[in-house]
Amino acid sequence: MKKIEIITRPYKLDEIKEALTQVGVKGMTVSEVKGFGRQKGHKEVYRGAEYQVDFMPKVKIEIVVDESLVKEVVKTTQEIARTGKVGDGKIFILPVDEVIRIRTGEQGKEAI
C-alpha cells in the first residue's frame, strides 16, 4: 500500500476528486494548506498599501491506495492539475506499512 499526498491549486480539487473516484479511489482526506516553493508568493494591494504574500493557498489531498493503483492515480492527477505554470504543485508517494479500520478491526487492503 502507498500513501499519495497531492499538493495543488485549490480550484483543481473538484476535478481531481471526480477523476480519482472514476479510477477507483474510494476515499481521501483534504486539507487547506499554505506554502511556497518556486512560486515564492506575490504582491497584493489592500487599501492602498502594497504587501507581500509569501505563502500561497493550496490544498493537500491524502489518499491511501493499493500499489496497483499508484501509477493511474499519479497519471490522472498530473493530467488534471497541470497548467504549465509555476505553482501547479507536487505529488509525494510514501510507503504504508499497515492500515486498520477502527470500527471493524479490518486490516490491510480491506481497511482501505
Side-chain angles (χ1 to χ4, degrees), residues 24-112:
V25 173
K26 298 199 177 359
M28 62 180 62
T29 300
V30 177
S31 306
E32 292 180 7
V33 296
K34 292 181 180 183
F36 72 90
R38 291 186 182 157
Q39 199 173 10
K40 296 207 168 86
H42 64 281
K43 291 187 192 271
E44 287 190 7
V45 178
Y46 179 71
R47 294 189 176 187
E50 189 175 279
Y51 64 98
Q52 179 71 24
V53 177
D54 292 327
F55 292 100
M56 301 300 297
K58 301 287 181 183
V59 291
K60 180 178 181 182
I61 304 166
E62 297 174 272
I63 305 164
V64 176
V65 297
D66 187 58
E67 289 191 41
S68 62
L69 273 178
V70 172
K71 285 185 181 179
E72 190 64 29
V73 167
V74 169
K75 179 182 165 217
T76 301
T77 301
Q78 283 181 302
E79 288 171 359
I80 292 177
R82 181 180 291 130
T83 67
K85 298 178 183 155
V86 174
D88 280 347
K90 298 245 181 347
I91 299 172
F92 301 96
I93 302 168
L94 308 137
V96 174
D97 294 332
E98 187 64 77
V99 176
I100 302 165
R101 186 182 312 263
I102 295 172
R103 179 178 54 87
T104 63
E106 292 172 297
Q107 296 184 334
K109 292 180 194 177
E110 292 78 31
I112 298 176

